[in-house]
Amino acid sequence: TPSDRTIGDAAFVPAATASSNLPVSFESLTSGTVTVSGNLVTLVAPGAATIRARQTGNANFKAAPNVDRNFCVLPAKPAITLSAANTDSPMLTSNASTGNQWFFNGNSISGAINPILMISQPGVYTVRVTIEGCVSELSDGLDVVITGDIASSNEQITAYPNPSKDRLY
C-alpha cells in the first residue's frame, strides 16, 4: 500500500512484484485525485485515491488477480490571513476553499467550517482541512488580540498610577 502523500509532493512509482517475475502495471481507479502514466503516479488533487496493480500473465503464467490499494492525497497545510486587524471584529481567512475546520485555543469550533471566520475573542486560532477523509496538518497558530475603538459614551475611563513608570492598569 502506498503511504499517504501530500498534494505538491513529487510523483512516485509504486512498488509491486509478481512471483512470476512478470512486469506489474498500474492504473488509477479514482478520477481527479491521481493519474498514472506508465508506472508513474502523479498527485492531482487532495482526496482518497485507489491504485490497481495488475499482472496480465503470458504463455507460461496466468494473469494474477488485480490488487487495489487505497491511500490519501493529503491537502496542503493551510495558512491563515488576518483582516480587519485592530478592530473589535477581526476576520480570519483560510487559503483552502473547502473542507475547513477552525480551532480556538486547540478546541474545535462547532460549525466553523467556512473559509472565513469572524472572531470576537482573543486567543490562538488554527485551521485544518479534510477532503474525502484525508486530513491536512494543522495550520500554524495565529495569536489574535482583539483591540478596536472604545465606543463613545458618557462613561469615564481612569488610568492609574498616573504618572506611570513600569505598569499602567
Side-chain angles (χ1 to χ4, degrees), residues 47-131:
T50 303
I51 299 236
R52 172 170 286 166
R54 58 175 53 211
Q55 181 274 107
T56 57
N58 64 12
N60 298 323
F61 294 96
K62 291 183 179 181
N66 293 336
V67 176
D68 298 342
R69 293 292 185 250
N70 303 313
F71 67 101
C72 272
V73 178
L74 304 172
K77 179 179 177 178
I80 301 171
T81 55
L82 172 65
S83 313
N86 299 321
T87 69
D88 59 355
S89 302
M91 182 173 68
L92 304 179
T93 304
S94 167
N95 65 340
S97 59
T98 61
N100 293 286
Q101 175 59 63
W102 289 94
F103 295 81
F104 173 65
N105 292 335
N107 298 309
S108 175
I109 304 170
S110 179
I113 59 171
N114 295 316
I116 296 174
L117 180 68
M118 302 299 291
I119 62 171
S120 60
Q121 294 181 324
V124 177
Y125 290 85
T126 53
V127 67
R128 176 177 285 146
V129 177
T130 303
I131 298 177

Side-chain angles (χ1 to χ4, degrees), residues 21-44:
N21 291 323
L22 292 174
V24 177
S25 63
F26 301 95
E27 67 178 305
S28 171
L29 298 182
T30 50
S31 63
T33 307
V34 297
T35 60
V36 178
S37 178
N39 284 345
L40 189 65
V41 177
T42 303
L43 310 177
V44 177

